[in-house]
Amino acid sequence: IGDDQVLLEFKELLLNTSLLDSSWKKGTNPCDNNNKWFGVQCDNKNVIQALFLGGVGLLGNLDVDVLISLQGLRVVNLANNSFSGTIPDFFRLGALKSLFIDGNQFSGDIPGDFFSKMGSLRKIWFSRNKFSGKIPDSLAGLKYLLELHLENNEFTGPIPSLSQANLATINFSNNKLQGLIPQSLSKFGLNPFQGNPDLCGNQIGRACKAVASGEKSEGSGSTKWIIIGLVVVLLLVAILFKSKRKDDQFEKLEKESLDEAVKVHLNKRSMSTRTSMRSSRKGRSRSGSDMGDLVVVNDEKGIFGMPDLMKAAAEVLGNGGLGSAYKAVLGNGVSVVVKRLTETNKFNKESFDAEIRRLARIRHRNILQPLAYHYRKEEQLVVSEYIPKGSLLFLLHGDRGIAHAQLNWTSRVKIILGVASGMKFLHSEFASYDVPHGNLKSSNILLSANNEPLLTDYAFYPLLNDSQAVQSLFAYKSPEAILNQQVTPKSDVYCLGIIILEILTGKFPSQYLSNQKCGTDVAQWAWSAIEENRVSELIAPEIETEKDSLEMMEKFLHIGAACTESDHDNRIDMKEAIRRIEEITNLM
Ligand SMILES: Nc1ncnc2c1ncn2[C@@H]1O[C@H](COP(=O)(O)OP(=O)(O)OP(=O)(O)O)[C@@H](O)[C@H]1O
């Protein structure tokens, strides 16, 4: 039977095929250049090589057998559809080089020998499904394996030892894997293994349960060794107990739905939720008077009081880690953002006042200061000017309107420079803080009309109550914080690195999400691209056409990678990061 018939049979068991229907027509040639079938790629001899059917909403049954007769087929891409059930028999397509089924709902175990007849496979992307059971051992026999993505599934058991020389990217993060990370994978650092509380090994700084002690006490026989063994066991129990508590805390953090917050960021312009400060506070206080008043700490935008805020119609902007944010248009026409903080009552009114006044005194072109605050024991409001263009997050990943189109390389450099300059300032002004900014991410970078960045939500670390509240800060996504719950000024450097990579690649960093189910691990991507000498592939399509600047983009990419080095001892510090950024731009 002809290729057209093969593909139509394959389509027959699929649902939601509307994107395919208009070109997949019986009796026509799927490789005909004048009437190309959607998603079908052929070589110059009209042999079908690849099916690119990613992200088109397909579901239903995958009849792999019918594809066996497409003998030139090397790539199957079904990523980001809605397929479910156990894994289809893709192993019957023994010549495949790439199989992308990430971002579906596949579940169940993958048989251990699944890959044993797929010796040509180079790229395996099975991430973001619900696969469970052991990772198939047959992966170890794939000698050409280049990319292996199994993150965000429910795999259990050990990671097989993979020692293929070509292996360039791996990701096992966010599964339920257990045991020692094979030595052969140590070159990949920490990121590919995160989110597996039961994995252990030097690489992730987590000791393996009692194995070392068992080995030590066994076989020696002497009392001395038994005593040493017992001491080691006791120490390990203590360490494990401590890290279990950390894992528990981290699990709690994982369960928070930050995704929702991200959705809200991206939908910010279309949000029609209207409320008023008065109604949102209904039931919390009986009269206006016991609410205290607004303390204006910076009168550059005029003087206003609590009654002005209460009267203003308020639009919900989002619900971030620290509390909700509203936009309110005051009677004098000034638009403000009111951020309601509920985790900051560590301070009494006097100390809170001193802290906010300190922020309000800042005069720096890249830092947005507070205008006013309101203090009650249970909650505090911090008011700042509303910046109409919105956040960098929105501009990069939100609508694709004019503001996005204007984000050429020059504007992007200006943003990186402005952010660096703001960070330089904060790191000298708040040098004594554990982490001077603490919450640097693209939703906290607002842009003026001419793309001058303004940092917001900075220096909150000392204000926040307990560790849970503190963990809402983005600095808590740095590898050292994930591993040992500790932030340092270098956590800010990691956050700066993510921003630089986000601006360069245009990709939404998976680091912003709690479950990392979508987005790109920009740090890992940058690191492996540098290793493989293919950095130019990472540059966002909107700017890669600016050929004269490619060299500079690559330099920035190296800085982004250096800032996101997972071992914070080896990571450059803020001074060095700023020096490198300034060095490049001084040559402009
Ligand atoms: N002054 C402002 N002007 C315009 N938009 C703002 C302003 N402040 C915040 N926003 C936007 O409002 C939204 C909600 O902000 P909010 O600070 O609550 O959330 P967040 O930045 O995601 O989290 P976090 O609480 O960790 O800072 C974000 O999209 C943010 O960019």
Side-chain angles (χ1 to χ4, degrees):
I1 59 171
D3 287 354
D4 58 334
Q5 232 166 318
V6 170
L7 288 179
L8 288 172
E9 259 182 55
F10 175 68
K11 189 180 82 139
E12 202 150 284
L13 298 184
L14 301 180
L15 298 168
N16 205 14
T17 55
S18 51
L19 270 172
L20 282 55
D21 294 340
S22 51
S23 56
W24 289 40
K25 290 273 188 289
K26 191 163 188 255
T28 63
N29 180 355
C31 296
D32 180 357
N33 267 338
N34 298 322
N35 179 29
K36 246 181 73 53
W37 284 28
F38 180 89
V40 177
Q41 184 180 294
C42 308
D43 67 8
N44 50 16
K45 295 194 186 106
N46 281 357
V47 174
I48 297 178
Q49 282 185 311
L51 291 179
F52 291 113
L53 299 174
V56 291
L58 295 175
L59 63 163
N61 286 328
L62 282 161
D63 185 355
V64 176
D65 275 13
V66 76
L67 298 179
I68 295 174
S69 55
L70 300 179
Q71 291 189 355
L73 189 64
R74 297 290 176 268
V75 179
V76 170
N77 185 340
L78 299 166
N80 302 317
N81 284 296
S82 302
F83 292 110
S84 56
T86 53
I87 187 161
D89 294 348
F90 289 114
F91 58 82
R92 301 181 63 93
L93 306 175
L96 279 191
K97 289 185 171 176
S98 303
L99 179 56
F100 304 97
I101 54 168
D102 45 307
N104 282 284
Q105 306 282 323
F106 289 115
S107 56
D109 292 14
I110 303 176
D113 60 354
F114 190 85
F115 298 104
S116 56
K117 297 209 170 78
M118 303 189 83
S120 309
L121 268 181
R122 284 160 171 71
K123 301 187 181 185
I124 300 176
W125 287 62
F126 284 13
S127 30
R128 297 182 290 119
N129 280 288
K130 293 179 190 152
F131 288 120
S132 53
K134 255 187 87 189
I135 294 180
D137 285 329
S138 49
L139 282 171
L142 298 178
K143 61 177 183 214
Y144 303 111
L145 191 61
L146 192 68
E147 296 174 10
L148 176 63
H149 281 263
L150 301 181
E151 68 270 24
N152 296 303
N153 278 291
E154 289 160 23
F155 286 113
T156 50
I159 296 179
S161 180
L162 304 172
S163 47
Q164 290 91 332
N166 289 342
L167 198 56
T169 18
I170 55 166
N171 199 339
F172 298 101
S173 59
N174 301 315
N175 278 288
K176 297 171 182 162
L177 295 165
Q178 293 136 347
L180 182 66
I181 298 174
Q183 186 58 34
S184 57
L185 301 178
S186 60
K187 64 172 177 180
F188 293 102
L190 159 86
N191 284 343
F193 307 102
Q194 284 176 359
N196 289 285
D198 294 326
L199 276 182
C200 60
N202 286 348
Q203 199 158 345
I204 52 169
R206 196 183 289 137
C208 291
K209 280 183 200 162
V211 168
S213 64
E215 275 167 2
K216 273 182 186 158
S217 57
E218 263 168 35
S220 76
S222 84
T223 326
K224 188 177 129 202
W225 284 112
I226 292 174
I227 293 171
I228 293 176
L230 276 173
V231 171
V232 174
V233 170
L234 281 174
L235 276 174
L236 280 173
V237 169
I239 293 168
L240 282 172
F241 179 68
K242 224 172 138 193
S243 71
K244 171 83 180 77
R245 279 183 44 206
K246 286 171 187 164
D247 287 347
D248 287 350
Q249 284 170 5
F250 190 58
E251 247 172 55
K252 264 189 238 155
L253 184 72
E254 287 287 292
K255 282 183 190 126
E256 283 172 15
S257 179
L258 284 184
D259 298 16
E260 229 9 80
V262 171
K263 264 188 238 144
V264 172
H265 294 319
L266 294 179
N267 289 335
K268 158 172 134 51
R269 295 300 160 103
S270 56
M271 289 277 309
S272 59
T273 321
R274 285 195 166 264
T275 175
S276 80
M277 296 302 292
R278 188 194 300 278
S279 65
S280 69
R281 297 170 54 94
K282 211 160 60 187
R284 288 175 177 248
S285 55
R286 261 170 256 110
S287 75
S289 59
D290 68 351
M291 289 176 197
D293 203 5
L294 210 56
V295 180
V296 174
V297 286
N298 175 345
D299 59 11
E300 282 170 16
K301 298 284 160 192
I303 303 276
F304 50 95
M306 203 60 183
D308 300 294
L309 266 195
M310 303 301 282
K311 265 186 258 152
E315 183 184 345
V316 180
L317 287 179
N319 201 353
L322 303 176
S324 34
Y326 305 83
K327 175 191 171 192
V329 184
L330 301 174
N332 63 3
V334 173
S335 297
V336 294
V337 168
V338 181
K339 183 135 182 165
R340 182 204 241 142
L341 305 167
T342 49
E343 305 292 344
T344 40
N345 59 2
K346 180 166 93 180
F347 279 20
N348 61 21
K349 185 163 194 285
E350 287 64 42
S351 319
F352 189 84
D353 178 86
E355 208 57 33
I356 300 295
R357 282 185 193 278
R358 180 170 181 193
L359 305 185
R361 278 196 298 274
I362 293 176
R363 290 291 175 275
H364 188 283
R365 67 193 297 199
N366 299 113
I367 292 181
L368 185 72
Q369 322 93 327
L371 297 175
Y373 76 88
H374 163 77
Y375 182 95
R376 283 196 318 146
K377 185 91 186 97
E378 312 83 272
E379 67 170 17
Q380 294 84 40
L381 307 179
V382 177
V383 184
S384 43
E385 183 187 351
Y386 173 75
I387 307 297
K389 199 163 186 175
S391 67
L392 176 64
L393 177 109
F394 176 72
L395 223 68
L396 280 174
H397 319 290
D399 74 357
R400 300 264 140 174
I402 294 174
H404 178 84
Q406 285 168 348
L407 265 188
N408 58 11
W409 178 237
T410 315
S411 323
R412 290 180 198 227
V413 172
K414 181 175 180 176
I415 295 170
I416 296 178
L417 269 181
V419 172
S421 169
M423 291 305 281
K424 184 179 179 179
F425 177 86
L426 292 176
H427 271 241
S428 84
E429 180 73 16
F430 300 106
S432 63
Y433 285 15
D434 287 356
V435 54
H437 187 303
N439 208 11
L440 180 67
K441 54 185 175 182
S442 56
S443 67
N444 284 337
I445 298 173
L446 304 166
L447 294 166
S448 74
N450 60 357
N451 284 334
E452 193 65 64
L454 285 162
L455 306 185
T456 180
D457 281 3
Y458 50 88
F460 277 163
Y461 183 82
L463 286 176
L464 297 177
N465 291 345
D466 51 24
S467 64
Q468 201 61 39
V470 166
Q471 282 173 359
S472 308
L473 298 173
F474 184 57
Y476 267 85
K477 287 292 180 78
S478 61
E480 61 276 21
I482 289 174
L483 265 186
N484 51 28
Q485 306 281 299
Q486 212 181 18
V487 285
T488 73
K490 281 197 182 171
S491 310
D492 269 350
V493 178
Y494 178 84
C495 302
L496 175 64
I498 297 288
I499 294 287
I500 295 175
L501 297 176
E502 185 181 355
I503 291 176
L504 279 166
T505 61
K507 297 281 185 205
F508 183 89
S510 58
Q511 281 83 358
Y512 289 162
L513 300 168
S514 46
N515 59 14
Q516 310 205 338
K517 288 258 181 211
C518 42
T520 305
D521 182 341
V522 285
Q524 205 201 323
W525 198 29
W527 275 95
S528 43
I530 288 170
E531 259 169 35
E532 291 158 30
N533 211 6
R534 48 178 184 91
V535 283
S536 53
E537 288 172 26
L538 269 67
I539 306 298
E542 296 93 328
I543 50 172
E544 70 176 354
T545 45
E546 300 184 48
K547 300 279 179 224
D548 293 348
S549 307
L550 278 179
E551 202 181 319
M552 197 201 290
M553 293 175 197
E554 291 195 7
K555 285 186 178 156
F556 272 110
L557 205 89
H558 278 90
I559 299 179
C563 291
T564 51
E565 156 70 55
S566 55
D567 178 352
H568 70 288
D569 286 332
N570 293 335
R571 190 182 307 150
I572 56 174
D573 63 12
M574 187 57 83
K575 262 204 183 111
E576 176 61 13
I578 305 292
R579 190 195 66 73
R580 292 191 192 182
I581 292 171
E582 288 174 347
E583 187 179 71
I584 301 181
T585 43
N586 286 342
L587 301 174
M588 276 169 78

